[in-house]
Amino acid sequence: MKALVKFLLLFLLVAPSTIFAQDRKMDELYKKYSTEKGFEAFQFTPEMFKLVANLQIDSLMTPQEKAIFENNLTKLKSIKVLTYKANQENPLNFNNIIAKEFPTEKYKLLFESINQDESFRVRARYKEDKNEKSLLDEIIAIKKSPKSTTLINIDAIVTLKDFMTIMKIAQEKNKELLFKK
């Protein structure tokens, strides 16, 4: 769960590039399940990203990192999170629903962590663009455990280079914040 929270918070703090309004599978899932029994749901909206972008972050980042942060954060459309907690009253195979809506042949694996009966995977769907060779069109993170499944959807179009730069900044800032005395 720590990896999931860290990923979400770090991505929220240093999030990626341009967003285009599109209907997404996550929008349908969120609308259908966000009020259903057994589910917890929340989302970050563009207004939230604007508020975070206005935070005083000068001391945490170099001018170049701050420019990347400010340029990209205010352009996010949404981050949506759905968590299903398995129980006897509401049996549902949310893992099968996720697999159907986000097939692995369309979403390339970026990161994977497997620990006994838990897994955490980050996948991205690529978009072809004549100006950019590697655009990530949508990013999903899936955390599975015996008692719950969490799906995070980041609706963004970002270059692979920008995504890797943002993740590098996030990793460095996470280390600085964790080990700061």
Side-chain angles (χ1 to χ4, degrees), residues 49-120:
F49 302 130
K50 288 176 190 172
L51 288 172
V52 172
N54 290 327
L55 293 175
Q56 294 298 319
I57 55 169
D58 296 342
S59 64
L60 295 177
M61 297 183 182
T62 67
Q64 182 183 12
E65 292 169 341
K66 186 177 179 203
I68 292 169
F69 175 84
E70 289 175 345
N71 182 47
N72 294 308
L73 188 62
T74 58
K75 296 177 183 176
L76 273 173
K77 181 180 177 188
S78 71
I79 296 176
K80 290 186 172 116
V81 180
L82 275 175
T83 298
Y84 173 70
K85 294 189 178 183
N87 61 54
Q88 300 293 336
E89 297 173 17
N90 189 24
L92 176 72
N93 194 333
F94 193 49
N95 294 329
N96 285 349
I97 294 168
I98 293 171
K100 179 183 173 198
E101 299 298 339
F102 302 99
T104 56
E105 60 272 6
K106 291 185 180 181
Y107 292 83
K108 304 286 185 203
L109 185 65
L110 299 180
F111 173 81
E112 178 177 58
S113 173
I114 300 172
N115 180 355
Q116 295 176 342
D117 55 352
E118 294 185 355
S119 66
F120 179 67

Side-chain angles (χ1 to χ4, degrees), residues 117-130:
D117 55 352
E118 294 185 355
S119 66
F120 179 67
R121 291 180 176 88
V122 178
R123 296 183 175 278
R125 183 175 62 189
Y126 287 82
K127 176 185 174 110
E128 294 300 318
D129 184 272
K130 54 187 163 187

Side-chain angles (χ1 to χ4, degrees), residues 133-164:
K133 292 183 180 175
S134 298
L135 286 177
L136 303 179
D137 181 37
E138 182 179 24
I139 302 162
I140 60 170
I142 304 164
K143 169 76 165 77
K144 296 179 185 177
S145 72
K147 295 183 179 183
S148 68
T149 300
T150 298
L151 172 64
I152 301 171
N153 180 274
I154 302 161
D155 190 1
I157 295 178
V158 60
T159 65
L160 183 58
K161 180 182 176 186
D162 284 347
F163 181 76
M164 297 308 289

